[in-house]
Amino acid sequence: MNPHIDPSVAEIERAAFQLRRLWAKPQLLQRLRERCGRGGRPIQLSSLLVIHAIAGQGSGSGDVTVGAVADFLDIDPSTASRLVGYATDAGFVSRTSSPVDARRAHLRLTEAGERVRALTDEFRRRFIAQLVADWPEEDRRTFAHLLGRFAEAAAHFPTNAAGLEAVGLGAEPELEAARRCANDG
């Protein structure tokens, strides 16, 4: 371990990695298939992310577009377009011409998409409630505040060249060599 890294930072990193399981539990995806009547078609994690992105922006007055989904998920617009296409093909998202700009697609959750969103939100909240059920209320409030603060900082950390340099991910020879190996293999 790097002697300059606070051990609590390493612990936070491990915990943050484990938290991704709140979204990708195989049991959740199986239960969603059963309860949402998708004819046994698998519900992909990418569709859940698109559903969450659209729902997270749908309450505002603006259009929900592929670009807005890309921004919300912090992914490339071409990747967002592909993921929105999968969610549309699966019947969770409808795409219409934007009433604001006909060159853009307006995205909306279908009835099936709303059902999946509601079920996943309920599942995660019940799951988390079980995990912290024996915690004192003050601990739950403190954890909620700190986790929210951490998530906000992570969401706003710059991933441009300067931000990557700040965390030691600049264009170093080792990284360039690793990138070449990945491209060759």
Side-chain angles (χ1 to χ4, degrees), residues 43-160:
I43 296 174
Q44 301 298 321
L45 178 59
S46 63
S47 290
L48 293 179
L49 293 173
V50 169
I51 289 167
H52 178 73
I54 293 170
Q57 299 174 60
S59 57
S61 58
D63 264 354
V64 178
T65 63
V66 172
V69 169
D71 289 345
F72 191 88
L73 296 176
D74 198 20
I75 58 177
D76 186 77
S78 64
T79 301
S81 181
R82 190 171 50 257
L83 298 183
V84 166
Y86 296 152
T88 301
D89 291 346
F92 302 127
V93 174
S94 70
R95 244 181 133 121
T96 58
S97 291
S98 167
V100 176
D101 182 348
R103 296 170 294 176
R104 295 165 51 177
H106 177 75
L107 306 174
R108 190 172 302 146
L109 294 180
T110 63
E111 186 177 315
E114 286 288 352
R115 197 166 49 248
V116 167
R117 184 207 48 79
L119 287 169
T120 55
D121 287 354
E122 177 187 353
F123 171 84
R124 283 191 316 275
R125 288 175 185 150
R126 286 183 182 199
F127 180 73
I128 291 168
Q130 286 290 320
L131 294 177
V132 299
D134 61 344
W135 293 18
E137 184 177 339
E138 181 63 27
D139 286 358
R140 289 192 309 263
R141 277 199 308 269
T142 300
F143 181 68
H145 170 74
L146 292 174
L147 186 59
R149 190 168 131 197
F150 177 79
E152 190 69 22
H156 290 96
F157 189 84
T159 55
N160 58 15

Side-chain angles (χ1 to χ4, degrees), residues 1-52:
M1 180 186 328
N2 183 335
H4 302 291
I5 299 291
D6 179 334
S8 62
V9 170
E11 188 175 338
I12 292 168
E13 180 273 329
R14 282 189 300 272
F17 181 79
Q18 288 179 320
L19 286 175
R20 70 163 179 62
R21 293 183 296 181
L22 288 176
W23 278 97
K25 288 218 171 270
Q27 301 87 343
L28 168 63
L29 299 176
Q30 178 60 37
R31 185 65 47 92
L32 288 171
R33 277 193 290 279
E34 294 166 2
R35 292 180 69 184
C36 293
R38 301 307 311 153
R41 276 180 79 178
I43 296 174
Q44 301 298 321
L45 178 59
S46 63
S47 290
L48 293 179
L49 293 173
V50 169
I51 289 167
H52 178 73

